[in-house]
Structure formats: C-alpha cells, structure tokens
Amino acid sequence: MKRWLVFLLLAAVAALAAPPEAHARLPYQTTYYDSNQSYWYGIQAIYKPEGAYGGQFDEPVDLFVGPDDKVYVADKGNDRVYVLGSDGSLLYEVGDEEGAGALGSPEGVFVTPEGDIYVADSGNQRIAVFGPDGRFDREYKKPDTSVLSNEHFVPTKVVVDRRGVMYVNTNASYQGLVRLDQEGEFMGYFGANKAQQSLLNWLKKLVLNKEQLAKEVAALPKPIANIAIDKDGFVYTATGGSFGASAIRKLNAGGVDAFKSKTFQHSHGIQDVAIDANGFLYNVDLDFGRVTLFDRTGDPLFAFGFTDVNTQQYGVFGFPTSIGVDGKFNVWVTDSRTKTVHKFTRTEFGADVLQALVLYDEGRYEESKPYWDRVYARNEMYNNLYQGLGKVYLEEKKNEQALDFMKEAFDTKGYSKAFWEIRLAWLQNHFAALLIGLVAFFLLLRAVPAAFRKLLARKPPTEAQRKTLDDLRNLGRVMIHPYDGFYRLKEAKVSPWLIIGILAAVVLVKVVAVYWTGFLIHPAELSQVNLWSALRLFALPWVTWIVANYLVCSVKDGEGKFREVIQGSTYALAPYLICSIPLIVLSNVITLEESAIFNAISMVMYLWMAVLFFVMTQVIHNFDFLESLKNIAVTVFAIGTIWLFGFIVFGLSYNLYDFFHQLYNEVIYYR
C-alpha cells in the first residue's frame, strides 16, 4: 500500500512540475468586409506580426519604403532619419550633428527611384535632400512668391513625382499641397480639400446681411494629414474627419479625384495611406485603431491590428503614425508611443486570397481558380470566395455551379448572369412544352368558372351559401369598381368567419412571399429570416390603421361602424391577395435587368391598395373627397402617435422588468 502511495505522490509531483500547454495566437482579430451583405465578419489572419523594431527611436512619425525595400523612418524626437533593412536592422542614419545637414524635428521622408532622400525638415522650415549615401546635397526653403508671402512654410510631408516635382504638405494648411519644381520654384497649390457647408452656415447666409457675414468665421477646408504617390504618378491624400468622406483621394495631374469623394470605412481618424505594387490601399486609423486594406476602387477588404495605449505585444499599436508596404507586401507601421516600427507579413492564406483578389479584379478568372481553391480548402466560410469561384464557373460555362456559388455569396449580378444562361438553355429545349402549358393554363382558367356555374345550376346553394359567394365575389368588385363594391359592403354584414378566412389567406400569401420570392428580388438567407418579425411589421400598420381610422372618423362625424371599418380594411387588401402569387412566380423567372417589371407591378399593387383605403374611408364614413383627404392625413398622424405611445410604454415596461429582475438576482445570488 505504501508503494502505491509513493508512486501516486511521485506521479502528482511530476504532473505539477511539467510545463503547462502553451497556446499561441494573434493579439488581434482579423475581419473581412462582405460587400454584398454590407457587414464585417471575422476571419483567420491575413497578416501576422513579424516584429517590433526600436531601441534607437524617440518619436517615429513617418516612414517610406524605398525601391530597394529599405525602410526610411523619420524620427522627430531624435532629429534623424533612420534607414532599416528588411529584417529591421539599422543600416545607417541620415542627418548630421551640425551644419547644413542637421535636421530639426523632421516629420516626413520620401525616397526617389534613384535613391535621393527628401526630408520634410519641419523644424528648419525646409525640404532637405540627401544623396543615396546619406550625405547632405541641397535644400529647398520657402519659395520667393507673393502667394506665400503671408504663409508659414513648415513642411510636414513630401512626395516627388517622376519629373522631380515636389508635392509638399505644410503644417495645418487648408489651401492644399504646395507644388515646387526641381529648382524649388512655386508652381501653385494642389489638391485642396473642399470646404464643408453645414446647415447652420446655410441658415446664416439666408438670415445675416453682408456686414454680419463678414464677421463670421469662414468654413475652411480640412487640412491634409498625409500624402503618398504610386508608380503611375497619382498623388494620394489622407484627411481625417467627416466620418471617412473623401478620407482618401486619388488625384491625377489636374487635381481631379479618381475616387470622386468616396466615403472610406474606418477612416475618420486616418493617419496615413500606402499603396502596394498591385494598387491596393492600406490605411492606419487612430479612431478605428487598426489597419484597413482596400481594393483599387477603395472598397474595403480586410482589417487587422489593434491599438492599446499600454501595449507590450507585437502587432498591437500604441499611437500609429504612418504606414508603408514593401515589395514583398510586408506592412510597416511607425508607432510613436511605443517608439517602435511594427512589421507585418502575409500569411499563406493571406497571400492566396489577396492574389486571387488581384486576378479577379483584373478579370483573369481562370488564373485565379487555383488560388480560390486553396482559399476554399482553408476557409469555406469566406463569402467573397464564392463570388470569385462563381465568376470562374461562369467563364467555364458551368452555370448551375455558378448559380449556387453566386447565391452563397449574395452576388445578385453574378446570379442574374448565370440564371439568364440557364433560362435561355431551358427555353431553347422546352419552348414547345412551355407554349402548350400556357395554352392549357389559359383554357383551364376559362373552364373552371364555367364548370363551377354548371355545378351551381345542378345543385343550387342555400341562402347562407349564396350570401357567402356574393361576399367573395365582392372582392373582385371592390378591385374593379371600388365605389360600387364598398357601397355593397356597407349595406352587408359579412360573416366574421369569412373576414377571418380572407385575413388568413393574406397572411398565408405573406408567408409564401417571404420564403418563395425569387433570390434576385429577395436576396436573403432563408434560415436567418425572422418570420414573426416580418408578420408583425406587415400586420401592425393594418391594425393601427383600423383603430386610428375609426377613432378619427368617429370624432369627425363619420358614419362607419367599427365592424364596417374592419370589413372595408380587409377588402382593401384584395390587390395584395390577388396580385402577390403572380408576382412571386414572376420573381422566380426574371433576371436582374427585368426586375423593373416586378417593381412596377408591385408599385401599382400598393398604389391600388392606397386608392381602395381612400375609397373605403369615403364610402364607409360618408365623407366627400376633401373630407376624406383631411381625415386620412389625421389618421396617419394618429397612427404615428399610437406607435410612439406604444414604444414609450414598451420601454418603460422593459425598464420596470429589468429593475425587478436585477433586484431578484441580487437577492438570490448575493445574499
């Protein structure tokens, strides 16, 4: 027994002494944007942190990745530009201790293809140029021009195009970039942001006179925060604020924005923008605290990284200030709070998915297939994958597979193209059968009423049955001759069971519409559809209409009884009941280009219903035309009041429930 106790004791000690199992994971979540559903979803890492390099930095505020993949970092605190290798090692420094080559609080750096280093030397109010070896070459001071005579020239960022023209961003300048030629001569302002006019400013212009307006502070454009340039010579500006509107602009030589004032997601607090060799955009944003990757048109693709002011982890920023991308698509980010430069490398999954997106963007769908296949093998939950493979199958004329993939991706345009091909092939093979079927259906529509009349002639209905049939026929009469139909309805007492039956049929049609309307008209994941919510939103307006219409019209001396309002409002749903089934069928056989037909018929149906509700109000309550208009307007206001009251009651009831629920929890769990 003692031996067993000793053995168990030794086993327990060994288990406690063994090192615990370690779990390595990234300190942030990567997300991707599904443009078809306008939503961000989590995904496996596209980029992973490679390292955070520092030790020599004091306040790194800008970086530029040179043509040789060296990383040039402008350190404002140390008055230096540090040059790093691709492994983050320090190669050499730019900036002398004293003399013409000494830097003062540099805030921007740019390197030409020839290796010349341009530094926005903010403290010395100049552009300093160094040779490829880091030796001082020349400087550009404030140009001698009357345009800048009253302006401070404090360069913060600089880029240079292939002609040697410099685009200089100055401190808090709202007039745009200062453009200088190779000799430093002023060429004019470039790429200024537009001043945003608020509603208050518009009202001031209407109310105030010229003298008063002259005393008002003018609405100035937002200053540009950072600039970049791509291999084609387009100048990119990054501007914070305005919730991402015009946050990134792609300016041609004439200053025209190719993005046309596009609103960029995750760009309200944008710090910088970078462009990779494929033309994809990367931004770093303080408000969002992450790096967002966009395609060539500015549509978001992925987001990664994280911001924490107390960070001590790779891949977590403290205060990101600039971003760059090297030739191997590694992402570099300067961080002034942690005094480091972060490096992110693409994962295998990221390399495959981004290369697939590049080929897809260029229309090279066949070439993208191997990459999409590898992406599919790693993550079949990535929705954009289905869009990419759907395009491949469209090119391969595998339309059935393309249809399935496009539906999975919620790509209505691609789905429509595949469906058109499938429908065309079906019509070519079954045109005769379709024609015969349509003729047979037409004959059946004519034969059924005739057969029904013969049946009634052989076996006459009872008085109660005849009344029910007349009430049913009145549905059609209300649609075609609304005044006659509602006058008959006012004088009749329709069976409650028939009213319930009509309403049940309407609800059934609504359920069928929710689940069987074609994908191009209703692109939704049916398993995620909340049927009860859809039915509540459908029934609530009708119920509140009845209550509000009866109350309002009773006050206005309307003659309609509550029962008559219910009957009339039920019969006014006749267009929905009659037209919905053909519309559902139509939605399953049309393409996206033909959806205008569906929308037009739907609009006619709802307008038809509105007319019937109007006529019902006029006839049931015995109003004239103008009285009906006024009372319907008051009814609509009453409906809004009922909804507001209901919302308030629901909110107060929920708060009361939550109070007692929390009180119950405290008594049960903390006693």
Side-chain angles (χ1 to χ4, degrees):
M1 185 66 179
K2 292 181 179 179
R3 292 178 181 177
W4 280 106
L5 289 174
V6 171
F7 177 76
L8 291 174
L9 181 61
L10 290 173
V13 171
L16 292 173
E21 184 180 358
H23 297 274
R25 66 174 185 175
L26 298 183
Y28 58 80
Q29 183 187 27
T30 300
T31 54
Y32 79 93
Y33 185 70
D34 187 338
S35 59
N36 294 315
Q37 300 188 71
S38 301
Y39 196 79
W40 288 89
Y41 295 95
I43 197 173
Q44 65 213 81
I46 300 297
Y47 275 89
K48 61 181 179 181
E50 179 73 13
Y53 311 109
Q56 68 274 14
F57 301 126
D58 182 66
E59 189 181 355
V61 294
D62 194 41
L63 69 79
F64 184 84
V65 179
D68 53 0
D69 276 355
K70 293 177 182 177
V71 181
Y72 298 76
V73 181
D75 191 328
K76 184 178 180 180
N78 282 331
D79 300 331
R80 290 287 188 277
V81 171
Y82 294 100
V83 184
L84 309 181
S86 58
D87 59 352
S89 61
L90 178 62
L91 300 180
Y92 60 92
E93 301 175 11
V94 176
D96 301 332
E97 290 293 335
E98 57 184 15
L103 299 174
S105 301
E107 295 187 44
V109 60
F110 179 85
V111 182
T112 66
E114 294 76 28
D116 292 330
I117 304 169
Y118 286 70
V119 181
D121 192 6
S122 305
N124 294 321
Q125 300 183 19
R126 65 173 183 168
I127 299 296
V129 184
F130 298 81
D133 57 357
R135 294 182 180 180
F136 178 75
D137 183 31
R138 60 190 184 277
E139 67 179 5
Y140 297 97
K141 288 280 191 175
K142 179 180 178 179
D144 185 13
T145 173
S146 59
V147 178
L148 297 176
S149 59
N150 296 323
E151 298 290 335
H152 294 289
F153 186 71
V154 184
T156 57
K157 308 295 176 186
V158 60
V159 297
V160 184
D161 66 15
R162 288 171 291 188
R163 303 167 298 167
V165 175
M166 292 170 279
Y167 297 83
V168 183
N169 189 40
T170 56
N171 186 29
S173 174
Y174 61 87
Q175 294 171 311
L177 306 176
V178 176
R179 188 160 53 174
L180 306 177
D181 64 15
Q182 294 181 359
E183 284 72 39
E185 296 296 327
F186 180 67
M187 300 176 63
Y189 285 107
F190 178 84
N193 290 313
K194 295 180 180 179
Q196 295 183 339
Q197 296 297 327
S198 65
L199 178 61
L200 179 60
N201 289 335
W202 180 76
L203 290 174
K204 286 179 179 179
K205 289 181 179 180
L206 291 178
V207 175
L208 302 181
N209 57 36
K210 291 183 179 180
E211 290 75 14
Q212 292 171 324
L213 286 174
K215 297 178 182 179
E216 291 289 323
V217 177
L220 300 177
K222 294 183 182 298
I224 295 171
N226 219 320
I227 50 177
I229 192 168
D230 67 12
K231 59 184 179 181
D232 297 320
F234 286 95
V235 176
Y236 295 76
T237 64
T239 305
S242 302
F243 301 98
S246 298
I248 301 175
R249 293 184 301 149
K250 181 180 180 180
L251 306 175
N252 62 15
V256 178
D257 180 17
F259 290 146
K260 299 179 180 179
S261 302
K262 185 185 184 77
T263 297
F264 284 78
Q265 293 202 29
H266 303 160
S267 298
H268 180 70
I270 187 171
Q271 290 291 101
D272 195 11
V273 60
I275 308 95
D276 69 16
N278 291 321
F280 283 13
L281 306 177
Y282 302 71
N283 85 341
V284 61
D285 184 85
L286 274 182
D287 285 5
F288 184 56
R290 308 178 74 186
V291 174
T292 304
L293 198 160
F294 304 87
D295 66 14
R296 295 165 182 169
T297 63
D299 291 330
L301 296 174
F302 301 98
F304 64 92
F306 184 65
T307 298
D308 183 358
V309 295
N310 298 314
T311 178
Q312 294 182 353
Q313 291 179 289
Y314 286 163
V316 179
F317 311 124
F319 192 94
T321 54
S322 185
I323 188 170
V325 185
D326 64 24
K328 296 180 180 178
F329 303 104
N330 299 315
V331 174
W332 299 78
V333 179
T334 53
D335 190 339
S336 63
R337 184 180 292 276
T338 61
K339 303 179 181 181
T340 56
V341 175
H342 298 266
K343 179 184 179 182
F344 297 84
T345 59
R346 283 187 182 179
T347 63
E348 291 184 6
F349 175 75
D352 284 335
V353 71
L354 287 169
Q355 183 60 30
L357 287 168
V358 168
L359 296 172
Y360 174 87
D361 191 57
E362 295 174 353
R364 297 153 63 184
Y365 305 123
E366 288 291 336
E367 295 178 48
S368 70
K369 186 177 181 181
Y371 297 97
W372 286 125
D373 287 337
R374 287 201 290 270
V375 172
Y376 185 73
R378 290 189 177 99
N379 189 344
E380 62 181 25
M381 301 300 293
Y382 175 49
N383 279 354
N384 293 346
L385 150 75
Y386 295 97
Q387 193 168 8
L389 282 176
K391 287 284 188 181
V392 172
Y393 290 131
L394 271 177
E395 292 294 314
E396 294 178 348
K397 304 300 181 183
K398 298 178 180 178
N399 297 311
E400 288 80 5
Q401 289 175 281
L403 195 74
D404 293 337
F405 276 80
M406 292 299 185
K407 186 174 184 179
E408 193 71 29
F410 294 92
D411 182 357
T412 53
K413 291 183 179 179
Y415 184 95
S416 179
K417 291 178 181 178
F419 180 76
W420 187 87
E421 295 288 348
I422 293 172
R423 189 184 67 178
L424 178 62
W426 189 90
L427 288 174
Q428 289 173 341
N429 296 327
H430 302 88
F431 182 76
L434 176 64
L435 192 60
I436 293 171
L438 290 175
V439 172
F441 180 73
F442 177 74
L443 294 176
L444 183 64
L445 288 179
R446 294 180 62 87
V448 168
F452 187 69
R453 286 193 293 270
K454 290 181 179 179
L455 179 62
L456 292 178
R458 288 199 303 268
K459 188 178 180 181
T462 62
E463 187 64 28
Q465 291 173 340
R466 183 180 294 106
K467 185 178 183 306
T468 301
L469 289 174
D470 288 339
D471 290 338
L472 280 174
R473 291 193 191 99
N474 206 29
L475 269 175
R477 188 178 293 110
V478 162
M479 290 182 62
I480 307 302
H481 305 287
Y483 280 97
D484 181 44
F486 281 116
Y487 273 118
R488 289 172 179 262
L489 195 63
K490 181 176 175 60
E491 298 171 358
K493 186 176 181 180
V494 181
S495 169
W497 292 109
L498 181 58
I499 297 296
I500 293 172
I502 294 173
L503 293 176
V506 171
V507 171
L508 180 62
V509 168
K510 177 60 179 177
V511 172
V512 172
V514 168
Y515 286 105
W516 277 279
T517 298
F519 175 77
L520 292 176
I521 302 299
H522 185 222
E525 178 60 51
L526 296 182
S527 62
Q528 303 298 321
V529 171
N530 188 333
L531 179 61
W532 294 113
S533 177
L535 291 178
R536 283 197 299 270
L537 291 175
F538 180 73
L540 185 62
W542 183 81
V543 173
T544 49
W545 157 268
I546 290 175
V547 175
N549 183 269
Y550 175 72
L551 293 176
V552 170
C553 294
S554 296
V555 172
K556 297 292 185 177
D557 297 326
E559 298 178 1
K561 300 176 182 177
F562 188 66
R563 172 182 56 80
E564 294 173 343
V565 174
I566 294 177
Q567 290 179 177
S569 299
T570 301
Y571 274 70
L573 297 174
Y576 183 84
L577 185 62
I578 303 300
C579 298
S580 289
I581 296 301
L583 279 173
I584 293 170
V585 174
L586 180 64
S587 70
N588 285 277
V589 298
I590 59 174
T591 62
L592 195 62
E593 292 76 13
E594 299 159 352
S595 61
I597 302 172
F598 178 93
N599 295 331
I601 297 175
S602 297
M603 185 178 294
V604 169
M605 179 184 73
Y606 286 112
L607 288 175
W608 201 347
M609 289 172 60
V611 169
L612 293 187
F613 277 106
F614 175 83
V615 174
M616 182 274 292
T617 301
Q618 186 177 3
V619 171
I620 296 297
H621 296 288
N622 197 22
F623 290 144
D624 60 27
F625 186 83
L626 290 179
E627 284 180 322
S628 299
L629 282 178
K630 293 177 183 178
N631 290 324
I632 285 178
V634 177
T635 299
V636 172
F637 176 79
I639 290 173
T641 304
I642 292 172
W643 289 357
L644 178 62
F645 179 76
F647 178 77
I648 294 173
V649 170
F650 174 79
L652 293 175
S653 301
Y654 178 80
N655 287 337
L656 186 64
Y657 161 78
D658 185 64
F659 170 76
F660 284 110
H661 181 70
Q662 295 296 335
L663 185 64
Y664 171 79
N665 287 338
E666 288 184 14
V667 171
I668 295 297
Y669 296 108
Y670 300 104
R671 59 186 177 181

